Amino acid sequence: MPTTIAALATESAAASGDRTIISLPKESQPVPKRPTLDAIKRSAAQRGLTFAQGIDEYVARAVATNPSATARAKADGIDPAAEPELKIDDLWLSELADLKLVVRDQGMTFEEAIERIAWQPRINEIGAALQQRFPSEVSGLSVLENGLKAQIGFKGKIPEHAVELARTLPVAVDLVGNKGFSQADLKQARDLAFAEVAAKKDLVETLSGSYDTDSGIVTIAVKPRSMPNGRAEQQALLSRLQPTKSSNDEINVRVRLSGQALSIPQDSYMRGGGNLSGCTTGFNIINGNFPSDPNSRLTTTAAHCGTGSRTYCNHPTQGGCTTSSHVKRSTSIDIGSWTRGTFTLTRTFYYDYNQPRYVYYVGSNPAQGQNICNYGHARQYAACGNVKAVDQSYPNAANLVVMDRSMTVGGDSGGPWYKYNTAWGIHHGLCEIGVEFNSCFTPVTSIASALNATGQSWGVWTAPPGT
């Protein structure tokens, strides 16, 4: 049984094999102060308006009286209707816009969406800091209870530094120690098992590999070349496919059979001779070794969208089309790069139909349960969901993040996954997870691995505030 330690107590040693939990209740955590939003809410209620309507009014007044909110977009020569760069208390307008999607799709009030989701990027920052300091110890990040709690896991003892960082979150936090495995251990076990099973080409048509940071279970899902009918025959095939036991006794490797495809790229079957409108572009990228050279800037989409030349078109409000040519694509990561044609590349992306937004940051260390959004040009609207699994891999599509629902359609492949002004991923398609097929994407942190050659340092072209 896990040993739970009171919030204000210091960490103590757990018995061998037992997990240690340090619980920080919400009552002991900081409360965000948002006086402007509180005033907007009160004023809206007094006039019979919703909170969201009150925010819209405030933004319209602020933009009319504050030219700096749209100054950068105009100076860049980009459509001045690009989303104003404006903060209300600690929240960017882009954050509030995305929270409206959550209200629309997930049945929350606007107040609940702010409480449950606005804090979530902070767990990625904490995860990145802990990963840098304790790379062999971090064992998963999770958002629990629909945004009301965070969980951070560790292979061994919970570092005091982790407790200090966790105390900065405005929600309840469980820090779980002595799990016996790190996320790096799980990834290594997954990769070894994946390679061993993939080598049995006479038995395997395709496969995927994933892991669960809570249970320590690595799952290799296999679509066999021939699915046996009887239970005994299936068990015999599983025995032939079962890889070598992990060297870490806390990690269990399991193989399961599937009679259906394990992933479905959503590209409207566009191949050679089609155009880029059969897919969606993701984020524009820059070679960091030559940041001032316009020819060292490209756009991205999914690698499975093909090669050749395509026609790229803006949304109707911005208008215009150009011919874009394929530059490079990875055979193991579903990211490809394309030229800018006659256009000038920008540091913006379409977060919704006709709505461009700057990219401020690149997201890393996604947490299970975290809310992330997507735009796909085939369906022509934005939608958000919660992360269900991280680092699920296929032979031609490694490191995928899988969501908790299917919210994309054919032709959305390559489109941007984002939260607020943070770039998260390039859309792949649908991924099998259990009995479901859910939307999934390749993290933009994989761009360098997918596209770099000698003398190159490709990454998302960002425009942090103030630049």
Side-chain angles (χ1 to χ4, degrees), residues 171-182:
V171 294
V173 184
D174 282 349
L175 298 105
V176 183
N178 212 31
K179 292 172 68 174
F181 53 82
S182 66

Side-chain angles (χ1 to χ4, degrees), residues 237-249:
L237 177 57
L238 286 170
S239 296
R240 295 179 66 188
L241 292 171
Q242 185 65 37
T244 305
K245 185 178 182 297
S246 171
S247 59
N248 185 328
D249 290 337

Side-chain angles (χ1 to χ4, degrees), residues 24 68 72-73 97 100 103 158 199 255 294 298 353 364 372 411 436 455:
L24 306 177
S68 66
R72 180 160 65 158
K100 290 180 181 179
V103 172
I158 301 169
V255 179
L298 301 169
Y353 191 60
S364 64
I372 300 179
E436 303 173 343

Side-chain angles (χ1 to χ4, degrees), residues 314-358:
N314 280 317
H315 292 198
T317 297
Q318 291 74 33
C321 298
T322 187
T323 299
S324 177
S325 299
H326 170 261
V327 177
K328 184 177 180 180
R329 63 175 176 169
S330 170
T331 58
S332 59
I333 298 172
D334 194 22
I335 296 176
S337 59
W338 293 71
T339 64
R340 59 190 173 92
T342 59
F343 279 10
T344 298
L345 288 180
T346 72
R347 298 167 292 175
T348 61
F349 68 100
Y350 286 108
Y351 71 94
D352 207 342
Y353 191 60
N354 280 326
Q355 300 295 320
R357 171 186 290 173
Y358 280 112

Side-chain angles (χ1 to χ4, degrees), residues 124-141:
N124 308 125
E125 298 172 8
I126 290 174
L130 293 174
Q131 193 67 45
Q132 183 174 18
R133 187 162 175 176
F134 310 103
S136 61
E137 287 294 315
V138 177
S139 185
L141 305 172

Side-chain angles (χ1 to χ4, degrees), residues 284-305:
N284 293 333
I285 59 174
I286 188 170
N287 180 356
N289 291 340
F290 302 96
S292 300
D293 181 3
N295 293 317
S296 291
R297 299 168 191 168
L298 301 169
T299 194
T300 56
T301 191
H304 71 256
C305 287

